[in-house]
Amino acid sequence: MLLRQMRYFMEVVDRGSFTQAAEACFISQSAISQQIKALEEELGAQLLLREGRRFSLTPAGEYFYRQGKVVLEELDRVCRETHHRASRTERLLRVAYPGNYAGQELHRAVAAFSARYPGAVVQTVSGTHEELYDLLRFDGADLVINDQRRAFSQVYVNLHLAYCPCFVEVSAQGGLAQRTSLSLQEARGYPCVLVASPGQQEHEKGYYRDTLGFGSRYLFAPTLEAARLLVSGNRGIFPLEGGGDGEEGTIRRLPLTRDGEQIRRRYCAFWRKDNGNQDLPLFGEILREQFLLSFPEETVQS
């Protein structure tokens, strides 16, 4: 069955005239009559009762008309949407963030950005510090939220976000649950849970042990959720940054301190200066606003 034959039939019924339908379709009256006859033969059903220059619908013709209208309208909608999707330029922003960051600032920034630009798409991925750095270097992400472990490069926009407070999450059933804080010296006595892929485990362990000063025992998890499951089972402590609370009933969150003061680490948004995505500065400012709401005193220390 040809869609063209269906459209001819609908046109004849809508106009109540073979002559007018033929004129609207820019074909001859005999041609449109032949097409409808071919349609009836293919369906094995008579659709029209012809009475001279007049006609009426058979019961089969009435059914085919009603259902055919629905089919053609849906087909037209699908064709319009297909054309729309093919012709539009999608606003895509690729954002990467640390796997151990537990704050809500990125969630709020994505929501605010999407509300302002409903057609925009924000894709997110998490990783270790080095994985995020590589995503930025090799065009795997447009914008990266990361802790500062290197001197700033002039190749990138280095937008200061906040000096984020550091915490450790501990099991609510363990011996640390009643503490109000945990010093770095005390943390060295417990297994440390880190979020890292297999290829990044040694690098992350080296940084936490040699640079930050954690102990020598480590457990690794592929995701933030998996790390928290280890903590819930009292397998170790989980260092992380960001605001919010631990999971009620299973996890307690304690400030991580050094010399009596909570440790803070600098977080920034980075993107290449030669990246032509026009949404980058806007998203960066929205992100910074969200960090400012969470950490007003820490953010202004830049």
Side-chain angles (χ1 to χ4, degrees):
M1 182 190 308
L2 296 177
L3 289 172
R4 182 174 64 251
Q5 293 174 340
M6 289 183 65
R7 295 188 187 280
Y8 288 159
F9 174 75
M10 301 301 166
E11 196 72 34
V12 168
V13 176
D14 287 341
R15 295 181 180 275
S17 166
F18 279 86
T19 301
Q20 294 181 20
E23 292 176 354
C25 295
F26 301 102
I27 61 173
S28 66
Q29 181 176 334
S30 60
I32 202 169
S33 296
Q34 291 171 2
Q35 290 294 323
I36 291 178
K37 184 176 181 181
L39 175 63
E40 290 177 319
E41 291 175 353
E42 182 166 348
L43 290 171
Q46 186 177 7
L47 302 177
L48 300 175
L49 292 174
R50 297 166 179 81
E51 303 168 355
R53 294 184 178 182
R54 305 182 64 180
F55 66 86
S56 61
L57 288 169
T58 65
E62 290 179 356
Y63 174 82
F64 187 78
Y65 175 77
R66 291 195 305 271
Q67 298 302 315
K69 275 285 191 180
V70 174
V71 170
L72 290 177
E73 288 174 0
E74 177 63 14
L75 177 62
D76 289 341
R77 186 197 66 78
V78 170
C79 290
R80 288 194 302 271
E81 180 63 19
T82 300
H83 175 74
H84 174 67
R85 289 174 181 265
S87 62
R88 75 182 182 189
T89 301
E90 187 175 66
R91 298 181 69 160
L92 175 64
L93 186 65
R94 302 167 300 164
V95 178
Y97 64 97
N100 70 333
Y101 194 83
Q104 294 298 307
E105 295 75 30
L106 176 58
H107 294 76
R108 298 199 304 259
V110 170
F113 180 76
S114 299
R116 187 175 300 184
Y117 300 106
V121 175
V122 180
Q123 291 181 349
T124 59
V125 64
S126 63
T128 64
H129 177 94
E130 291 303 311
E131 287 172 331
L132 299 181
Y133 180 53
D134 286 344
L135 284 173
L136 195 59
R137 286 197 300 159
F138 302 119
D139 195 32
D142 297 307
L143 181 146
V144 163
I145 303 167
N146 214 350
D147 58 324
Q148 185 189 7
R149 299 186 187 179
R150 299 175 165 84
F152 288 148
S153 168
Q154 294 303 310
V155 175
Y156 307 104
V157 174
N158 308 290
L159 179 65
H160 174 81
L161 297 175
Y163 289 98
C164 294
C166 298
F167 298 86
V168 286
E169 289 190 337
V170 303
S171 171
Q173 310 305 318
L176 296 174
Q178 304 306 316
R179 299 289 300 271
T180 57
S181 65
L182 189 70
S183 71
L184 187 55
Q185 181 67 33
E186 293 169 323
R188 292 171 185 160
Y190 297 89
C192 179
V193 179
L194 298 178
V195 177
S197 59
Q200 291 292 313
Q201 290 177 3
E202 287 302 313
H203 191 281
E204 281 296 284
K205 181 172 70 174
Y207 179 77
Y208 276 82
R209 182 190 59 215
D210 302 333
T211 303
L212 297 184
F214 280 82
S216 58
R217 293 180 293 166
Y218 292 87
L219 298 172
F220 296 96
T223 64
L224 179 65
E225 180 181 3
R228 283 175 162 163
L229 287 173
L230 289 173
V231 175
S232 295
N234 202 21
R235 298 284 304 281
I237 63 174
F238 177 39
L240 76 169
E241 292 84 37
D245 300 316
E247 296 180 10
E248 183 178 356
T250 62
I251 289 176
R252 285 286 311 284
R253 184 175 295 182
L254 307 177
L256 180 65
T257 64
R258 180 191 290 120
D259 299 327
E261 297 291 334
Q262 186 170 16
I263 299 171
R264 302 182 188 277
R265 294 169 64 187
R266 188 179 196 181
Y267 269 76
C268 299
F270 302 97
W271 65 88
R272 294 184 62 95
K273 291 181 178 178
D274 59 1
N275 189 319
N277 192 322
Q278 297 181 356
D279 288 328
L280 280 168
L282 173 62
F283 187 83
E285 284 306 311
I286 292 176
L287 188 64
R288 190 173 188 276
E289 289 171 2
Q290 297 306 320
F291 272 84
L292 181 61
L293 289 174
S294 296
F295 314 107
E297 295 182 359
E298 290 76 12
T299 306
V300 298
Q301 294 181 35
S302 61

